[in-house]
Each structure stands twice: as structure tokens, then as C-alpha cells.
PDB file of all heavy atoms in Angstrom:
ATOM      1  N   ASN K   1     119.067  72.172  91.885  1.00  0.00           N
ATOM      2  CA  ASN K   1     119.133  70.761  91.503  1.00  0.00           C
ATOM      3  C   ASN K   1     118.180  70.452  90.355  1.00  0.00           C
ATOM      4  O   ASN K   1     118.509  69.673  89.450  1.00  0.00           O
ATOM      5  CB  ASN K   1     118.803  69.869  92.697  1.00  0.00           C
ATOM      6  CG  ASN K   1     119.922  69.792  93.711  1.00  0.00           C
ATOM      7  OD1 ASN K   1     121.060  70.153  93.413  1.00  0.00           O
ATOM      8  ND2 ASN K   1     119.622  69.343  94.910  1.00  0.00           N
ATOM      9  N   ALA K   2     116.999  71.059  90.392  1.00  0.00           N
ATOM     10  CA  ALA K   2     115.994  70.804  89.352  1.00  0.00           C
ATOM     11  C   ALA K   2     116.268  71.600  88.083  1.00  0.00           C
ATOM     12  O   ALA K   2     116.041  71.105  86.969  1.00  0.00           O
ATOM     13  CB  ALA K   2     114.599  71.145  89.883  1.00  0.00           C
ATOM     14  N   LEU K   3     116.771  72.827  88.237  1.00  0.00           N
ATOM     15  CA  LEU K   3     116.948  73.743  87.111  1.00  0.00           C
ATOM     16  C   LEU K   3     118.311  74.436  87.220  1.00  0.00           C
ATOM     17  O   LEU K   3     118.402  75.642  87.449  1.00  0.00           O
ATOM     18  CB  LEU K   3     115.822  74.788  87.105  1.00  0.00           C
ATOM     19  CG  LEU K   3     114.388  74.240  87.019  1.00  0.00           C
ATOM     20  CD1 LEU K   3     113.383  75.292  87.445  1.00  0.00           C
ATOM     21  CD2 LEU K   3     114.089  73.751  85.605  1.00  0.00           C
ATOM     22  N   PRO K   4     119.388  73.697  87.036  1.00  0.00           N
ATOM     23  CA  PRO K   4     120.723  74.256  87.289  1.00  0.00           C
ATOM     24  C   PRO K   4     121.179  75.283  86.268  1.00  0.00           C
ATOM     25  O   PRO K   4     122.113  76.046  86.530  1.00  0.00           O
ATOM     26  CB  PRO K   4     121.627  73.016  87.240  1.00  0.00           C
ATOM     27  CG  PRO K   4     120.900  72.057  86.350  1.00  0.00           C
ATOM     28  CD  PRO K   4     119.445  72.279  86.644  1.00  0.00           C
ATOM     29  N   GLU K   5     120.548  75.326  85.102  1.00  0.00           N
ATOM     30  CA  GLU K   5     121.031  76.191  84.031  1.00  0.00           C
ATOM     31  C   GLU K   5     120.712  77.669  84.246  1.00  0.00           C
ATOM     32  O   GLU K   5     121.320  78.543  83.635  1.00  0.00           O
ATOM     33  CB  GLU K   5     120.455  75.732  82.689  1.00  0.00           C
ATOM     34  CG  GLU K   5     118.944  75.909  82.531  1.00  0.00           C
ATOM     35  CD  GLU K   5     118.140  74.722  83.045  1.00  0.00           C
ATOM     36  OE1 GLU K   5     118.646  73.967  83.904  1.00  0.00           O
ATOM     37  OE2 GLU K   5     116.989  74.558  82.595  1.00  0.00           O
ATOM     38  N   TYR K   6     119.767  77.975  85.128  1.00  0.00           N
ATOM     39  CA  TYR K   6     119.348  79.359  85.331  1.00  0.00           C
ATOM     40  C   TYR K   6     120.308  80.111  86.256  1.00  0.00           C
ATOM     41  O   TYR K   6     121.134  79.511  86.940  1.00  0.00           O
ATOM     42  CB  TYR K   6     117.938  79.401  85.914  1.00  0.00           C
ATOM     43  CG  TYR K   6     116.870  78.883  84.980  1.00  0.00           C
ATOM     44  CD1 TYR K   6     116.558  77.531  84.939  1.00  0.00           C
ATOM     45  CD2 TYR K   6     116.182  79.742  84.128  1.00  0.00           C
ATOM     46  CE1 TYR K   6     115.586  77.047  84.076  1.00  0.00           C
ATOM     47  CE2 TYR K   6     115.213  79.270  83.261  1.00  0.00           C
ATOM     48  CZ  TYR K   6     114.918  77.916  83.234  1.00  0.00           C
ATOM     49  OH  TYR K   6     113.958  77.432  82.376  1.00  0.00           O
ATOM     50  N   ASP K   7     120.182  81.438  86.274  1.00  0.00           N
ATOM     51  CA  ASP K   7     120.960  82.286  87.173  1.00  0.00           C
ATOM     52  C   ASP K   7     120.118  82.607  88.401  1.00  0.00           C
ATOM     53  O   ASP K   7     118.935  82.971  88.273  1.00  0.00           O
ATOM     54  CB  ASP K   7     121.356  83.588  86.475  1.00  0.00           C
ATOM     55  CG  ASP K   7     122.251  83.340  85.270  1.00  0.00           C
ATOM     56  OD1 ASP K   7     122.863  82.257  85.184  1.00  0.00           O
ATOM     57  OD2 ASP K   7     122.324  84.234  84.399  1.00  0.00           O
ATOM     58  N   TYR K   8     120.717  82.506  89.579  1.00  0.00           N
ATOM     59  CA  TYR K   8     119.996  82.706  90.834  1.00  0.00           C
ATOM     60  C   TYR K   8     120.694  83.748  91.704  1.00  0.00           C
ATOM     61  O   TYR K   8     121.923  83.780  91.788  1.00  0.00           O
ATOM     62  CB  TYR K   8     119.911  81.403  91.628  1.00  0.00           C
ATOM     63  CG  TYR K   8     119.110  80.309  90.971  1.00  0.00           C
ATOM     64  CD1 TYR K   8     119.699  79.448  90.040  1.00  0.00           C
ATOM     65  CD2 TYR K   8     117.757  80.124  91.279  1.00  0.00           C
ATOM     66  CE1 TYR K   8     118.964  78.437  89.440  1.00  0.00           C
ATOM     67  CE2 TYR K   8     117.022  79.111  90.677  1.00  0.00           C
ATOM     68  CZ  TYR K   8     117.633  78.267  89.758  1.00  0.00           C
ATOM     69  OH  TYR K   8     116.903  77.265  89.163  1.00  0.00           O
ATOM     70  N   VAL K   9     119.877  84.555  92.376  1.00  0.00           N
ATOM     71  CA  VAL K   9     120.378  85.446  93.427  1.00  0.00           C
ATOM     72  C   VAL K   9     119.591  85.131  94.694  1.00  0.00           C
ATOM     73  O   VAL K   9     118.367  85.248  94.717  1.00  0.00           O
ATOM     74  CB  VAL K   9     120.199  86.935  93.078  1.00  0.00           C
ATOM     75  CG1 VAL K   9     120.721  87.805  94.224  1.00  0.00           C
ATOM     76  CG2 VAL K   9     120.916  87.281  91.783  1.00  0.00           C
ATOM     77  N   TYR K  10     120.295  84.705  95.717  1.00  0.00           N
ATOM     78  CA  TYR K  10     119.666  84.433  97.010  1.00  0.00           C
ATOM     79  C   TYR K  10     119.945  85.594  97.952  1.00  0.00           C
ATOM     80  O   TYR K  10     121.078  86.071  98.048  1.00  0.00           O
ATOM     81  CB  TYR K  10     120.223  83.146  97.621  1.00  0.00           C
ATOM     82  CG  TYR K  10     119.622  82.843  98.980  1.00  0.00           C
ATOM     83  CD1 TYR K  10     118.415  82.160  99.063  1.00  0.00           C
ATOM     84  CD2 TYR K  10     120.230  83.255 100.159  1.00  0.00           C
ATOM     85  CE1 TYR K  10     117.838  81.894 100.296  1.00  0.00           C
ATOM     86  CE2 TYR K  10     119.664  82.998 101.388  1.00  0.00           C
ATOM     87  CZ  TYR K  10     118.464  82.310 101.452  1.00  0.00           C
ATOM     88  OH  TYR K  10     117.892  82.057 102.667  1.00  0.00           O
ATOM     89  N   TYR K  11     118.906  86.020  98.667  1.00  0.00           N
ATOM     90  CA  TYR K  11     119.090  87.078  99.655  1.00  0.00           C
ATOM     91  C   TYR K  11     118.447  86.656 100.969  1.00  0.00           C
ATOM     92  O   TYR K  11     117.245  86.396 101.038  1.00  0.00           O
ATOM     93  CB  TYR K  11     118.479  88.389  99.180  1.00  0.00           C
ATOM     94  CG  TYR K  11     118.560  89.489 100.218  1.00  0.00           C
ATOM     95  CD1 TYR K  11     119.777  89.872 100.752  1.00  0.00           C
ATOM     96  CD2 TYR K  11     117.412  90.129 100.681  1.00  0.00           C
ATOM     97  CE1 TYR K  11     119.865  90.859 101.723  1.00  0.00           C
ATOM     98  CE2 TYR K  11     117.484  91.124 101.646  1.00  0.00           C
ATOM     99  CZ  TYR K  11     118.710  91.484 102.163  1.00  0.00           C
ATOM    100  OH  TYR K  11     118.797  92.462 103.136  1.00  0.00           O
ATOM    101  N   GLY K  12     119.269  86.569 102.015  1.00  0.00           N
ATOM    102  CA  GLY K  12     118.783  86.257 103.349  1.00  0.00           C
ATOM    103  C   GLY K  12     118.888  87.477 104.250  1.00  0.00           C
ATOM    104  O   GLY K  12     119.965  88.055 104.398  1.00  0.00           O
ATOM    105  N   ASP K  13     117.769  87.868 104.832  1.00  0.00           N
ATOM    106  CA  ASP K  13     117.759  89.057 105.695  1.00  0.00           C
ATOM    107  C   ASP K  13     118.172  88.666 107.110  1.00  0.00           C
ATOM    108  O   ASP K  13     117.374  88.705 108.050  1.00  0.00           O
ATOM    109  CB  ASP K  13     116.375  89.700 105.680  1.00  0.00           C
ATOM    110  CG  ASP K  13     116.359  91.033 106.429  1.00  0.00           C
ATOM    111  OD1 ASP K  13     117.448  91.571 106.724  1.00  0.00           O
ATOM    112  OD2 ASP K  13     115.248  91.528 106.728  1.00  0.00           O
ATOM    113  N   THR K  14     119.421  88.299 107.262  1.00  0.00           N
ATOM    114  CA  THR K  14     119.940  87.814 108.541  1.00  0.00           C
ATOM    115  C   THR K  14     119.966  88.899 109.622  1.00  0.00           C
ATOM    116  O   THR K  14     120.002  88.589 110.806  1.00  0.00           O
ATOM    117  CB  THR K  14     121.360  87.249 108.346  1.00  0.00           C
ATOM    118  OG1 THR K  14     122.146  88.207 107.614  1.00  0.00           O
ATOM    119  CG2 THR K  14     121.320  85.960 107.547  1.00  0.00           C
ATOM    120  N   GLU K  15     119.938  90.143 109.199  1.00  0.00           N
ATOM    121  CA  GLU K  15     119.963  91.244 110.176  1.00  0.00           C
ATOM    122  C   GLU K  15     118.702  91.258 111.033  1.00  0.00           C
ATOM    123  O   GLU K  15     118.741  91.649 112.205  1.00  0.00           O
ATOM    124  CB  GLU K  15     120.116  92.581 109.455  1.00  0.00           C
ATOM    125  CG  GLU K  15     120.197  93.772 110.395  1.00  0.00           C
ATOM    126  CD  GLU K  15     120.384  95.095 109.660  1.00  0.00           C
ATOM    127  OE1 GLU K  15     120.533  95.077 108.415  1.00  0.00           O
ATOM    128  OE2 GLU K  15     120.381  96.140 110.330  1.00  0.00           O
ATOM    129  N   HIS K  16     117.578  90.823 110.463  1.00  0.00           N
ATOM    130  CA  HIS K  16     116.296  90.961 111.149  1.00  0.00           C
ATOM    131  C   HIS K  16     115.662  89.640 111.574  1.00  0.00           C
ATOM    132  O   HIS K  16     114.537  89.635 112.062  1.00  0.00           O
ATOM    133  CB  HIS K  16     115.310  91.724 110.253  1.00  0.00           C
ATOM    134  CG  HIS K  16     115.735  93.117 109.947  1.00  0.00           C
ATOM    135  ND1 HIS K  16     116.015  93.548 108.662  1.00  0.00           N
ATOM    136  CD2 HIS K  16     115.961  94.184 110.761  1.00  0.00           C
ATOM    137  CE1 HIS K  16     116.374  94.815 108.688  1.00  0.00           C
ATOM    138  NE2 HIS K  16     116.363  95.226 109.940  1.00  0.00           N
ATOM    139  N   LEU K  17     116.363  88.521 111.383  1.00  0.00           N
ATOM    140  CA  LEU K  17     115.747  87.249 111.762  1.00  0.00           C
ATOM    141  C   LEU K  17     115.701  87.123 113.294  1.00  0.00           C
ATOM    142  O   LEU K  17     116.489  87.755 113.986  1.00  0.00           O
ATOM    143  CB  LEU K  17     116.522  86.079 111.142  1.00  0.00           C
ATOM    144  CG  LEU K  17     117.965  85.799 111.574  1.00  0.00           C
ATOM    145  CD1 LEU K  17     118.047  84.937 112.836  1.00  0.00           C
ATOM    146  CD2 LEU K  17     118.707  85.116 110.443  1.00  0.00           C
ATOM    147  N   PRO K  18     114.743  86.333 113.829  1.00  0.00           N
ATOM    148  CA  PRO K  18     113.724  85.572 113.107  1.00  0.00           C
ATOM    149  C   PRO K  18     112.482  86.419 112.824  1.00  0.00           C
ATOM    150  O   PRO K  18     112.035  87.182 113.678  1.00  0.00           O
ATOM    151  CB  PRO K  18     113.396  84.433 114.079  1.00  0.00           C
ATOM    152  CG  PRO K  18     113.619  85.049 115.434  1.00  0.00           C
ATOM    153  CD  PRO K  18     114.762  86.014 115.271  1.00  0.00           C
ATOM    154  N   TYR K  19     111.926  86.297 111.628  1.00  0.00           N
ATOM    155  CA  TYR K  19     110.725  87.048 111.266  1.00  0.00           C
ATOM    156  C   TYR K  19     109.509  86.601 112.071  1.00  0.00           C
ATOM    157  O   TYR K  19     108.571  87.370 112.274  1.00  0.00           O
ATOM    158  CB  TYR K  19     110.422  86.858 109.781  1.00  0.00           C
ATOM    159  CG  TYR K  19     111.152  87.800 108.850  1.00  0.00           C
ATOM    160  CD1 TYR K  19     112.332  88.424 109.212  1.00  0.00           C
ATOM    161  CD2 TYR K  19     110.635  88.055 107.582  1.00  0.00           C
ATOM    162  CE1 TYR K  19     112.993  89.271 108.338  1.00  0.00           C
ATOM    163  CE2 TYR K  19     111.285  88.905 106.701  1.00  0.00           C
ATOM    164  CZ  TYR K  19     112.460  89.509 107.084  1.00  0.00           C
ATOM    165  OH  TYR K  19     113.102  90.348 106.211  1.00  0.00           O
ATOM    166  N   GLY K  20     109.492  85.344 112.479  1.00  0.00           N
ATOM    167  CA  GLY K  20     108.310  84.797 113.140  1.00  0.00           C
ATOM    168  C   GLY K  20     107.926  85.494 114.419  1.00  0.00           C
ATOM    169  O   GLY K  20     106.783  85.401 114.869  1.00  0.00           O
ATOM    170  N   GLU K  21     108.867  86.223 115.021  1.00  0.00           N
ATOM    171  CA  GLU K  21     108.591  86.924 116.270  1.00  0.00           C
ATOM    172  C   GLU K  21     108.356  88.423 116.050  1.00  0.00           C
ATOM    173  O   GLU K  21     108.156  89.165 117.015  1.00  0.00           O
ATOM    174  CB  GLU K  21     109.755  86.733 117.244  1.00  0.00           C
ATOM    175  CG  GLU K  21     110.113  85.272 117.490  1.00  0.00           C
ATOM    176  CD  GLU K  21     108.894  84.454 117.875  1.00  0.00           C
ATOM    177  OE1 GLU K  21     108.207  84.829 118.841  1.00  0.00           O
ATOM    178  OE2 GLU K  21     108.616  83.441 117.194  1.00  0.00           O
ATOM    179  N   LYS K  22     108.368  88.877 114.797  1.00  0.00           N
ATOM    180  CA  LYS K  22     108.165  90.290 114.486  1.00  0.00           C
ATOM    181  C   LYS K  22     106.683  90.596 114.273  1.00  0.00           C
ATOM    182  O   LYS K  22     105.858  89.704 114.062  1.00  0.00           O
ATOM    183  CB  LYS K  22     108.951  90.664 113.221  1.00  0.00           C
ATOM    184  CG  LYS K  22     110.451  90.413 113.310  1.00  0.00           C
ATOM    185  CD  LYS K  22     111.122  91.275 114.353  1.00  0.00           C
ATOM    186  CE  LYS K  22     112.652  91.258 114.265  1.00  0.00           C
ATOM    187  NZ  LYS K  22     113.260  89.957 114.508  1.00  0.00           N
ATOM    188  N   THR K  23     106.341  91.892 114.294  1.00  0.00           N
ATOM    189  CA  THR K  23     104.967  92.293 114.001  1.00  0.00           C
ATOM    190  C   THR K  23     104.703  92.191 112.496  1.00  0.00           C
ATOM    191  O   THR K  23     105.646  92.166 111.687  1.00  0.00           O
ATOM    192  CB  THR K  23     104.707  93.734 114.448  1.00  0.00           C
ATOM    193  OG1 THR K  23     105.495  94.626 113.624  1.00  0.00           O
ATOM    194  CG2 THR K  23     105.079  93.944 115.911  1.00  0.00           C
ATOM    195  N   SER K  24     103.436  92.176 112.129  1.00  0.00           N
ATOM    196  CA  SER K  24     103.088  92.112 110.713  1.00  0.00           C
ATOM    197  C   SER K  24     103.625  93.320 109.957  1.00  0.00           C
ATOM    198  O   SER K  24     104.089  93.203 108.820  1.00  0.00           O
ATOM    199  CB  SER K  24     101.563  92.017 110.550  1.00  0.00           C
ATOM    200  OG  SER K  24     101.076  90.812 111.086  1.00  0.00           O
ATOM    201  N   GLY K  25     103.585  94.490 110.591  1.00  0.00           N
ATOM    202  CA  GLY K  25     104.111  95.689 109.951  1.00  0.00           C
ATOM    203  C   GLY K  25     105.596  95.605 109.690  1.00  0.00           C
ATOM    204  O   GLY K  25     106.081  96.011 108.630  1.00  0.00           O
ATOM    205  N   GLN K  26     106.342  95.088 110.654  1.00  0.00           N
ATOM    206  CA  GLN K  26     107.781  94.913 110.463  1.00  0.00           C
ATOM    207  C   GLN K  26     108.071  93.919 109.347  1.00  0.00           C
ATOM    208  O   GLN K  26     108.925  94.154 108.488  1.00  0.00           O
ATOM    209  CB  GLN K  26     108.421  94.427 111.764  1.00  0.00           C
ATOM    210  CG  GLN K  26     108.502  95.473 112.869  1.00  0.00           C
ATOM    211  CD  GLN K  26     109.005  94.882 114.167  1.00  0.00           C
ATOM    212  OE1 GLN K  26     108.566  93.810 114.591  1.00  0.00           O
ATOM    213  NE2 GLN K  26     109.936  95.583 114.812  1.00  0.00           N
ATOM    214  N   ILE K  27     107.359  92.803 109.346  1.00  0.00           N
ATOM    215  CA  ILE K  27     107.576  91.769 108.322  1.00  0.00           C
ATOM    216  C   ILE K  27     107.298  92.326 106.938  1.00  0.00           C
ATOM    217  O   ILE K  27     108.071  92.100 105.993  1.00  0.00           O
ATOM    218  CB  ILE K  27     106.696  90.539 108.607  1.00  0.00           C
ATOM    219  CG1 ILE K  27     107.136  89.865 109.916  1.00  0.00           C
ATOM    220  CG2 ILE K  27     106.763  89.540 107.450  1.00  0.00           C
ATOM    221  CD1 ILE K  27     106.128  88.883 110.467  1.00  0.00           C
ATOM    222  N   LEU K  28     106.216  93.079 106.796  1.00  0.00           N
ATOM    223  CA  LEU K  28     105.882  93.671 105.506  1.00  0.00           C
ATOM    224  C   LEU K  28     106.970  94.638 105.059  1.00  0.00           C
ATOM    225  O   LEU K  28     107.408  94.612 103.903  1.00  0.00           O
ATOM    226  CB  LEU K  28     104.534  94.391 105.585  1.00  0.00           C
ATOM    227  CG  LEU K  28     104.072  95.098 104.301  1.00  0.00           C
ATOM    228  CD1 LEU K  28     103.928  94.107 103.153  1.00  0.00           C
ATOM    229  CD2 LEU K  28     102.759  95.843 104.547  1.00  0.00           C
ATOM    230  N   SER K  29     107.437  95.482 105.968  1.00  0.00           N
ATOM    231  CA  SER K  29     108.478  96.460 105.637  1.00  0.00           C
ATOM    232  C   SER K  29     109.771  95.777 105.215  1.00  0.00           C
ATOM    233  O   SER K  29     110.372  96.136 104.190  1.00  0.00           O
ATOM    234  CB  SER K  29     108.727  97.372 106.840  1.00  0.00           C
ATOM    235  OG  SER K  29     109.781  98.281 106.582  1.00  0.00           O
ATOM    236  N   TYR K  30     110.215  94.778 105.983  1.00  0.00           N
ATOM    237  CA  TYR K  30     111.447  94.070 105.648  1.00  0.00           C
ATOM    238  C   TYR K  30     111.322  93.360 104.300  1.00  0.00           C
ATOM    239  O   TYR K  30     112.273  93.334 103.506  1.00  0.00           O
ATOM    240  CB  TYR K  30     111.775  93.024 106.723  1.00  0.00           C
ATOM    241  CG  TYR K  30     112.026  93.565 108.104  1.00  0.00           C
ATOM    242  CD1 TYR K  30     111.758  92.769 109.231  1.00  0.00           C
ATOM    243  CD2 TYR K  30     112.529  94.852 108.319  1.00  0.00           C
ATOM    244  CE1 TYR K  30     111.993  93.252 110.509  1.00  0.00           C
ATOM    245  CE2 TYR K  30     112.757  95.326 109.592  1.00  0.00           C
ATOM    246  CZ  TYR K  30     112.482  94.527 110.695  1.00  0.00           C
ATOM    247  OH  TYR K  30     112.701  94.996 111.966  1.00  0.00           O
ATOM    248  N   THR K  31     110.157  92.775 104.057  1.00  0.00           N
ATOM    249  CA  THR K  31     109.971  92.021 102.815  1.00  0.00           C
ATOM    250  C   THR K  31     109.971  92.945 101.604  1.00  0.00           C
ATOM    251  O   THR K  31     110.571  92.625 100.565  1.00  0.00           O
ATOM    252  CB  THR K  31     108.670  91.207 102.868  1.00  0.00           C
ATOM    253  OG1 THR K  31     108.685  90.360 104.024  1.00  0.00           O
ATOM    254  CG2 THR K  31     108.506  90.338 101.621  1.00  0.00           C
ATOM    255  N   ILE K  32     109.337  94.091 101.717  1.00  0.00           N
ATOM    256  CA  ILE K  32     109.339  95.053 100.606  1.00  0.00           C
ATOM    257  C   ILE K  32     110.764  95.482 100.280  1.00  0.00           C
ATOM    258  O   ILE K  32     111.157  95.554  99.107  1.00  0.00           O
ATOM    259  CB  ILE K  32     108.458  96.279 100.948  1.00  0.00           C
ATOM    260  CG1 ILE K  32     106.978  95.884 100.937  1.00  0.00           C
ATOM    261  CG2 ILE K  32     108.718  97.427  99.965  1.00  0.00           C
ATOM    262  CD1 ILE K  32     106.050  96.982 101.418  1.00  0.00           C
ATOM    263  N   GLU K  33     111.550  95.765 101.315  1.00  0.00           N
ATOM    264  CA  GLU K  33     112.937  96.165 101.079  1.00  0.00           C
ATOM    265  C   GLU K  33     113.733  95.046 100.419  1.00  0.00           C
ATOM    266  O   GLU K  33     114.568  95.300  99.541  1.00  0.00           O
ATOM    267  CB  GLU K  33     113.598  96.588 102.398  1.00  0.00           C
ATOM    268  CG  GLU K  33     113.070  97.898 102.965  1.00  0.00           C
ATOM    269  CD  GLU K  33     113.132  99.037 101.947  1.00  0.00           C
ATOM    270  OE1 GLU K  33     114.225  99.250 101.376  1.00  0.00           O
ATOM    271  OE2 GLU K  33     112.100  99.695 101.735  1.00  0.00           O
ATOM    272  N   ALA K  34     113.470  93.821 100.815  1.00  0.00           N
ATOM    273  CA  ALA K  34     114.170  92.681 100.209  1.00  0.00           C
ATOM    274  C   ALA K  34     113.791  92.518  98.742  1.00  0.00           C
ATOM    275  O   ALA K  34     114.652  92.250  97.890  1.00  0.00           O
ATOM    276  CB  ALA K  34     113.834  91.403 100.979  1.00  0.00           C
ATOM    277  N   ILE K  35     112.523  92.686  98.442  1.00  0.00           N
ATOM    278  CA  ILE K  35     112.064  92.576  97.044  1.00  0.00           C
ATOM    279  C   ILE K  35     112.676  93.689  96.198  1.00  0.00           C
ATOM    280  O   ILE K  35     113.125  93.452  95.071  1.00  0.00           O
ATOM    281  CB  ILE K  35     110.526  92.612  96.975  1.00  0.00           C
ATOM    282  CG1 ILE K  35     109.933  91.418  97.714  1.00  0.00           C
ATOM    283  CG2 ILE K  35     110.052  92.632  95.529  1.00  0.00           C
ATOM    284  CD1 ILE K  35     110.372  90.063  97.224  1.00  0.00           C
ATOM    285  N   LYS K  36     112.726  94.899  96.742  1.00  0.00           N
ATOM    286  CA  LYS K  36     113.372  96.007  96.030  1.00  0.00           C
ATOM    287  C   LYS K  36     114.835  95.672  95.728  1.00  0.00           C
ATOM    288  O   LYS K  36     115.328  95.939  94.627  1.00  0.00           O
ATOM    289  CB  LYS K  36     113.307  97.293  96.875  1.00  0.00           C
ATOM    290  CG  LYS K  36     111.951  97.971  96.935  1.00  0.00           C
ATOM    291  CD  LYS K  36     112.061  99.230  97.779  1.00  0.00           C
ATOM    292  CE  LYS K  36     110.757 100.001  97.847  1.00  0.00           C
ATOM    293  NZ  LYS K  36     110.878 101.210  98.709  1.00  0.00           N
ATOM    294  N   PHE K  37     115.506  95.094  96.709  1.00  0.00           N
ATOM    295  CA  PHE K  37     116.912  94.755  96.518  1.00  0.00           C
ATOM    296  C   PHE K  37     117.082  93.707  95.422  1.00  0.00           C
ATOM    297  O   PHE K  37     117.953  93.843  94.549  1.00  0.00           O
ATOM    298  CB  PHE K  37     117.518  94.244  97.823  1.00  0.00           C
ATOM    299  CG  PHE K  37     118.926  93.742  97.660  1.00  0.00           C
ATOM    300  CD1 PHE K  37     119.969  94.620  97.399  1.00  0.00           C
ATOM    301  CD2 PHE K  37     119.201  92.384  97.742  1.00  0.00           C
ATOM    302  CE1 PHE K  37     121.264  94.155  97.226  1.00  0.00           C
ATOM    303  CE2 PHE K  37     120.491  91.914  97.576  1.00  0.00           C
ATOM    304  CZ  PHE K  37     121.531  92.796  97.317  1.00  0.00           C
ATOM    305  N   LEU K  38     116.255  92.676  95.424  1.00  0.00           N
ATOM    306  CA  LEU K  38     116.370  91.637  94.399  1.00  0.00           C
ATOM    307  C   LEU K  38     116.025  92.178  93.014  1.00  0.00           C
ATOM    308  O   LEU K  38     116.630  91.780  92.018  1.00  0.00           O
ATOM    309  CB  LEU K  38     115.481  90.445  94.759  1.00  0.00           C
ATOM    310  CG  LEU K  38     116.024  89.568  95.896  1.00  0.00           C
ATOM    311  CD1 LEU K  38     114.983  88.549  96.333  1.00  0.00           C
ATOM    312  CD2 LEU K  38     117.316  88.871  95.481  1.00  0.00           C
ATOM    313  N   ILE K  39     115.103  93.102  92.941  1.00  0.00           N
ATOM    314  CA  ILE K  39     114.805  93.747  91.656  1.00  0.00           C
ATOM    315  C   ILE K  39     116.025  94.529  91.179  1.00  0.00           C
ATOM    316  O   ILE K  39     116.361  94.516  89.991  1.00  0.00           O
ATOM    317  CB  ILE K  39     113.561  94.648  91.781  1.00  0.00           C
ATOM    318  CG1 ILE K  39     112.304  93.782  91.981  1.00  0.00           C
ATOM    319  CG2 ILE K  39     113.397  95.524  90.537  1.00  0.00           C
ATOM    320  CD1 ILE K  39     111.061  94.567  92.322  1.00  0.00           C
ATOM    321  N   SER K  40     116.723  95.182  92.115  1.00  0.00           N
ATOM    322  CA  SER K  40     117.937  95.925  91.740  1.00  0.00           C
ATOM    323  C   SER K  40     119.047  94.991  91.267  1.00  0.00           C
ATOM    324  O   SER K  40     119.971  95.424  90.573  1.00  0.00           O
ATOM    325  CB  SER K  40     118.436  96.751  92.929  1.00  0.00           C
ATOM    326  OG  SER K  40     119.102  95.943  93.899  1.00  0.00           O
TER     327      SER K  40
END
């Protein structure tokens, strides 16, 4: 809504939700994989 002209890729890790109940190690691992995917 604020910046409609840009290109966006949204990625939701629905396979592993909810993150709030996971361990810190799991959250870190899932997040790194998500960042790698968005970089790709």
C-alpha cells in the first residue's frame, strides 16, 4: 500500500508454524533456510 511500485516476494513457512512454540535452535535453523530461499 505504501510502496506499490516495487517487486515483492513473500514466503510463509507454514510447514513449521507456529514458531512461538519451537526451540531457539529450531527457529534459527528455519529462519536461515527461509533467508536462503528468498536470496535464491
Side-chain angles (χ1 to χ4, degrees):
N1 286 344
L3 302 163
E5 67 272 24
Y6 294 87
D7 297 340
Y8 295 86
V9 179
Y10 179 85
Y11 176 57
D13 187 14
T14 49
E15 182 179 356
H16 297 117
L17 65 85
Y19 275 23
E21 306 309 305
K22 302 296 192 297
T23 67
S24 295
Q26 288 174 315
I27 294 165
L28 178 60
S29 177
Y30 298 152
T31 304
I32 289 173
E33 290 307 308
I35 297 302
K36 285 181 178 178
F37 174 70
L38 285 171
I39 291 171
S40 77

